[in-house]
Amino acid sequence: MRGSRASAVILMIVVSTFLASGPSSLPAVAGPGDPEPASLVTLSVPDKAAMERLVASGADLTERVRPQADGSVQVDAVLTPSALAGLKSIGVGLAPGTPPAAKKTPSATAAQDQIVIERAVWYKSRDGYFLSVEASSSAGETAALTATWTGRRGATGQVAMVPFVDAGAYMGHQFSTPSPVTAEPQRVTVTSATGGKAEARVREWPDGERPDRQAPGYQKDFVTQYMPPAQLNERIQALHRRYPALTDIIQLPNLTNGYRRHAQALIGTPPGAAIVVTSDAYGSEGGNDVSVELAAPGAPDRPLQVGVNGRQVTVSLATDGSGTPVSTAAQVVAAVNATAGTGVKAAAYRTDPGAGVMAPAAATRLTDSLKAPADVSRAPMRVLALRVGVHRDGSRTGVLAYAQEHAREWVPPLVTVEAAERLLRNYARDPATRKLLQRTDIFIVPTVNPDGANYSFYDFNSQRKNMTNHCPAAQSDPAQRNTWGVDVNRNYAVGSLTDGYFGASANCQSGTYAGPAEHSEPESRNVVWLAQKYRNIRFAMNVHSYGGYFMWPPGAYKLDGRVALPRPSADQEAYFMRSARTIEQAIAAERGTVIWPQQTGPVTDVLYSAAGNSADELWYDFGIYGWDFEVGADLWNSSTRTWEGVGFQPPFEEGHAEAMEFASGLISLVGVAAGFRER
Ligand SMILES: [Zn+2]
């Protein structure tokens, strides 16, 4: 019964997401007590400087960033209509159906430039052959580069390249997306409009080590639906009960704040006189039972008075000589806050300085506005890790996989539980799996941010952050509730906002709010605790969605001069890349999804700066090879011949396929760890 009701709720949310997910118009503004609806949209950003301003604005960007042929950038974001309107001032708006194709023309007198081909690769996915070329010109971003490829039997084609500029630094030219080609490319020539030319052989991608052969009867495919946190925890506990000799359940020490908030009411009519009343108790702990009435005494010359009867607060408004109420919002706020035992605090509404006279109002019940069924716990949550391995004593190389730092990412938890279940179910029958469990010590955290995840499942599917509101009263009225919370993956202490790094916000309503301090949130402290407590952990996979990336440190830079955290040594970088190619090989084996070469690399090279992220802390403070998956690679639409983003909560059929392929990738990472020798 419970399961079917939960899946009905989930299905409803998926449908609404899907309707809202196109790069289309945004719905109308809601009433003053309600949050504005937010939508997943594709933005067009005119150039990299505007992209920088967009990141600095703290807008809720996804990881799907696509440079365009004209030097502009398209990026998916979750925005309300007013947030979108606010972006006009920095020159950012909705992307049109088809991107403009204007090209910069270099001056005819420019000197011949030098061209270096950095990488030229082809791959074959389920959609056919694709080519990707990265090259740089001594003329920099103004160079107009074209790649011409040739293959067997006279096959050939041409692709225009686009400059990639990040934080003012020219990073080279690339294809805006991998380009479909009619045959396997063998050689490529890159030419510039000013005469530069370079040639290279095209290599296969990812071309990593092939995964171990699986024994006959190898079992997989254990996830059948998106799972809210309670179901994820039940699943790993069930695995522990079934395989007690191979697993432990680790209770992480920091309880979350809980899927709960204080109850509130907006009384009055903005933009006129209005107040916000907030319960001291959480809604689930009595706050939802409180009601507040603004009563007209019906007699002249009465003073302003506040009375309490059980959970009912009655404000008797002051009257003038004719019996008309005259109490202003500021006076009502002061009277309520000066009265002991009301169980509430009042504040003037953000658009009202408090001078307006409050009208009488019938008793208004406060509410926390949380919509999950009553059996979804409102209490602080214990975050769980499933430890998997034959020797769970610190003697084997540890691998940490943790998902759902960002609440709305529903596929990543499935990646982790699918991988865990494959390892356990196949231990007895598959020698390769047995080797992995003998040589490694695996820590799986399916949901780092369960409170936010519940909010995403039951209330606001675009929720990215946790549930803890650090905003002052002026940013805490009920209509703002969908903007509260801390971005867990900006709350870490290495390369952080407070250290001066770029790509996190100090605004409590921003999608990338870093929190009031480094490690202020239990969710981030839990991840750090694992790294501190289990020093054998040498590898970590931070699983996110969507966009199809595979990344590693450095993940943050200072904007001025684009000074990144120190790069790993050349040897370590080569190890990151070689391991990534092996892991991407395993991902591709599932359904032919190839992670693009231009989306495989250090975060600061392939995406944007993300101050205070967890992979950086794990690498720089603990020496853990910290990777990030962005599952959910773009899907090729063969009729429009374009790549399309999959979104955070695709129809389950697609989410399931992503879980299958990235679970294979995660198991391949365990294989990398099994072969690890200290370098
Ligand atoms: Zn994420």
Side-chain angles (χ1 to χ4, degrees):
M1 276 302 287
R2 203 169 59 181
S4 66
R5 187 175 50 188
S7 50
V9 170
I10 293 162
L11 184 67
M12 216 167 60
I13 295 168
V14 170
V15 169
S16 66
T17 312
F18 223 54
L19 291 174
S21 69
S24 55
S25 59
L26 291 156
V29 177
D34 302 315
E36 277 187 278
S39 304
L40 183 58
V41 297
T42 301
L43 296 175
S44 180
V45 187
D47 51 38
K48 278 288 178 174
M51 183 69 194
E52 219 167 82
R53 294 194 296 271
L54 180 62
V55 173
S57 78
D60 189 356
L61 304 181
T62 72
E63 280 79 13
R64 184 171 184 268
V65 180
R66 300 288 179 263
Q68 301 295 304
D70 62 349
S72 70
V73 178
Q74 292 196 358
V75 55
D76 290 1
V78 175
L79 293 174
T80 61
S82 45
L84 177 64
L87 296 179
K88 288 214 175 79
S89 63
I90 58 171
V92 173
L94 289 179
T98 43
K103 283 209 183 76
K104 288 177 187 145
T105 36
S107 78
T109 56
Q112 181 175 322
D113 53 344
Q114 298 293 318
I115 293 173
V116 176
I117 297 178
E118 323 272 5
R119 180 159 61 181
V121 295
W122 65 270
Y123 67 82
K124 188 168 191 291
S125 79
R126 63 184 179 279
D127 302 303
Y129 289 102
F130 289 85
L131 172 67
S132 174
V133 179
E134 292 151 77
S136 57
S137 160
S138 58
E141 61 182 293
T142 60
L145 303 190
T146 303
T148 304
W149 64 271
T150 55
R152 267 186 257 275
R153 288 188 284 281
T156 184
Q158 272 196 349
V159 184
M161 302 185 71
V162 302
F164 180 29
V165 181
D166 187 44
Y170 170 61
M171 312 284 289
H173 279 63
Q174 60 185 29
F175 289 5
S176 84
T177 56
S179 183
V181 289
T182 51
E184 178 189 317
Q186 293 176 316
R187 297 200 71 79
V188 68
T189 306
V190 174
T191 53
S192 86
T194 53
K197 184 175 176 180
E199 199 182 342
R201 189 163 88 78
V202 186
R203 295 172 187 280
E204 187 182 356
W205 179 266
D207 200 28
E209 264 177 61
R210 298 297 187 272
D212 285 327
R213 188 189 299 276
Q214 290 160 350
Y218 185 89
Q219 292 189 359
K220 60 183 186 183
D221 198 352
F222 301 107
V223 296
T224 56
Q225 60 179 349
Y226 288 122
M227 288 188 270
Q231 279 185 34
L232 292 166
N233 285 344
E234 280 166 24
R235 176 66 72 95
I236 62 171
Q237 282 166 321
L239 286 171
H240 170 57
R241 285 193 299 273
R242 186 170 172 141
Y243 299 100
L246 293 174
T247 61
D248 296 308
I249 290 284
I250 300 172
Q251 306 212 349
L252 302 192
N254 302 288
L255 291 172
T256 67
N257 190 48
Y259 169 72
R260 59 181 180 174
R261 64 158 76 98
H262 300 279
Q264 293 190 299
L266 171 64
I267 302 173
T269 45
I275 62 170
V276 173
V277 181
T278 303
S279 65
D280 296 336
Y282 288 104
S284 49
E285 293 164 17
N288 288 339
D289 302 325
V290 175
S291 61
V292 175
E293 177 184 4
L294 302 192
D301 298 319
R302 291 300 173 94
L304 175 60
Q305 286 181 316
V306 178
V308 183
N309 180 9
R311 299 292 174 96
Q312 162 94 32
V313 178
T314 304
V315 178
S316 181
L317 298 168
T319 54
D320 64 10
S322 65
T324 304
V326 293
S327 298
T328 65
Q331 288 166 340
V332 171
V333 165
V336 168
N337 291 345
T339 305
T342 60
V344 299
K345 295 282 182 297
Y349 185 70
R350 61 185 134 118
T351 57
D352 175 16
V357 173
M358 291 299 295
T364 306
R365 186 84 166 262
L366 274 55
T367 174
D368 61 12
S369 301
L370 294 176
K371 299 186 187 71
D375 61 359
V376 174
S377 172
R378 268 64 173 170
M381 286 274 283
R382 180 68 71 189
V383 178
L384 302 181
L386 179 69
R387 187 176 187 179
V388 178
V390 176
H391 306 282
R392 302 182 303 283
D393 55 4
S395 66
R396 299 299 192 272
T397 302
V399 181
L400 167 63
Y402 57 110
Q404 209 166 34
E405 285 186 324
H406 293 146
R408 64 195 173 199
E409 299 169 6
W410 292 5
V411 178
L414 305 186
V415 171
T416 63
V417 296
E418 169 71 16
E421 189 146 355
R422 282 190 202 173
L423 291 169
L424 292 167
R425 293 226 184 220
N426 293 298
Y427 173 77
R429 79 189 74 221
D430 177 42
T433 299
R434 197 148 53 240
K435 187 182 80 183
L436 297 182
L437 265 59
Q438 278 162 351
R439 290 190 186 173
T440 64
D441 187 2
I442 305 154
F443 301 78
I444 302 260
V445 185
T447 178
V448 170
N449 176 11
D451 302 342
N454 276 326
Y455 198 59
S456 174
F457 267 89
Y458 300 110
D459 298 275
F460 175 56
N461 60 346
S462 293
Q463 177 76 10
R464 169 182 168 96
K465 304 188 285 179
N466 71 5
M467 281 278 285
T468 304
N469 179 18
H470 292 285
C471 289
Q475 292 167 281
S476 287
D477 61 73
Q480 294 167 310
R481 62 182 182 264
N482 288 347
T483 68
W484 301 335
V486 176
D487 183 345
V488 175
N489 204 27
R490 300 292 185 278
N491 188 237
Y492 294 85
V494 171
S496 68
L497 180 70
T498 47
D499 294 344
Y501 285 81
F502 184 61
S505 174
N507 178 351
C508 62
Q509 292 185 270
S510 161
T512 54
Y513 177 47
E518 294 171 347
H519 296 163
S520 60
E521 305 306 297
E523 291 86 356
S524 58
R525 289 202 300 276
N526 279 334
V527 172
V528 174
W529 180 85
L530 279 166
Q532 280 169 340
K533 168 111 179 161
Y534 302 100
R535 301 309 288 243
N536 61 319
I537 295 177
R538 303 306 316 279
F539 294 85
M541 182 61 76
N542 183 12
V543 193
H544 285 255
S545 71
Y546 60 96
Y549 289 81
F550 194 162
M551 302 180 288
W552 54 85
Y557 50 72
K558 293 181 175 174
L559 194 54
D560 192 14
R562 202 179 181 283
V563 179
L565 288 164
R567 289 192 83 100
S569 70
D571 189 38
Q572 289 164 335
E573 282 209 327
Y575 183 69
F576 268 116
M577 179 59 86
R578 194 165 64 247
S579 305
R581 293 171 73 149
T582 293
I583 292 164
E584 291 187 359
Q585 193 79 42
I587 293 168
E590 198 67 34
R591 62 160 174 168
T593 296
V594 177
I595 302 304
W596 300 350
Q598 71 212 68
Q599 297 192 166
T600 303
V603 177
T604 51
D605 287 4
V606 303
L607 189 60
Y608 46 64
S609 180
N613 72 80
S614 51
D616 278 343
E617 179 148 344
L618 295 179
W619 171 247
Y620 294 103
D621 272 9
F622 298 95
I624 294 170
Y625 284 85
W627 272 290
D628 308 285
F629 272 157
E630 290 287 346
V631 314
D634 282 16
L635 300 174
W636 176 251
N637 182 328
S638 55
S639 52
T640 60
R641 297 182 66 74
T642 54
W643 290 101
E644 293 175 350
V646 294
F648 294 109
Q649 297 136 17
F652 184 71
E653 184 188 7
E654 166 61 22
H656 171 265
E658 293 169 17
M660 291 303 112
E661 61 198 7
F662 281 88
S664 295
L666 187 50
I667 289 171
S668 176
L669 168 63
V670 175
V672 167
F676 177 69
R677 277 202 221 100
E678 210 62 52
R679 17 203 346 104

Short mmCIF file of all heavy atoms in Angstrom, two decimals, residues 63 406 409 544-545, ligand 1:
data_model
loop_
_atom_site.label_atom_id
_atom_site.label_comp_id
_atom_site.label_asym_id
_atom_site.label_seq_id
_atom_site.Cartn_x
_atom_site.Cartn_y
_atom_site.Cartn_z
N GLU A 63 24.62 21.40 -14.43
CA GLU A 63 25.97 21.16 -14.95
C GLU A 63 25.98 21.05 -16.47
O GLU A 63 27.01 20.78 -17.07
CB GLU A 63 26.57 19.92 -14.31
CG GLU A 63 27.14 20.15 -12.92
CD GLU A 63 26.10 20.19 -11.82
OE1 GLU A 63 24.94 19.79 -12.08
OE2 GLU A 63 26.42 20.64 -10.71
N HIS A 406 22.99 16.90 -3.99
CA HIS A 406 21.93 17.75 -4.55
C HIS A 406 20.63 16.97 -4.60
O HIS A 406 20.52 15.93 -5.26
CB HIS A 406 22.34 18.25 -5.94
CG HIS A 406 23.50 19.20 -5.87
ND1 HIS A 406 24.46 19.28 -6.84
CD2 HIS A 406 23.82 20.11 -4.93
CE1 HIS A 406 25.35 20.21 -6.48
NE2 HIS A 406 24.99 20.73 -5.33
N GLU A 409 18.56 15.35 -7.67
CA GLU A 409 19.22 14.38 -8.55
C GLU A 409 18.78 12.98 -8.11
O GLU A 409 19.34 12.40 -7.19
CB GLU A 409 20.73 14.61 -8.48
CG GLU A 409 21.06 16.01 -8.97
CD GLU A 409 22.50 16.46 -8.71
OE1 GLU A 409 23.31 15.65 -8.24
OE2 GLU A 409 22.79 17.64 -8.98
N HIS A 544 26.65 12.81 -9.26
CA HIS A 544 25.68 13.88 -9.51
C HIS A 544 24.97 13.62 -10.84
O HIS A 544 25.31 12.70 -11.58
CB HIS A 544 26.40 15.24 -9.61
CG HIS A 544 26.83 15.78 -8.28
ND1 HIS A 544 26.18 16.81 -7.64
CD2 HIS A 544 27.84 15.42 -7.45
CE1 HIS A 544 26.78 17.05 -6.49
NE2 HIS A 544 27.80 16.23 -6.34
N SER A 545 23.98 14.46 -11.14
CA SER A 545 23.37 14.48 -12.47
C SER A 545 23.07 15.94 -12.81
O SER A 545 22.93 16.75 -11.90
CB SER A 545 22.09 13.64 -12.50
OG SER A 545 21.05 14.26 -11.78
ZN ZN B 1 24.73 18.01 -8.46
#
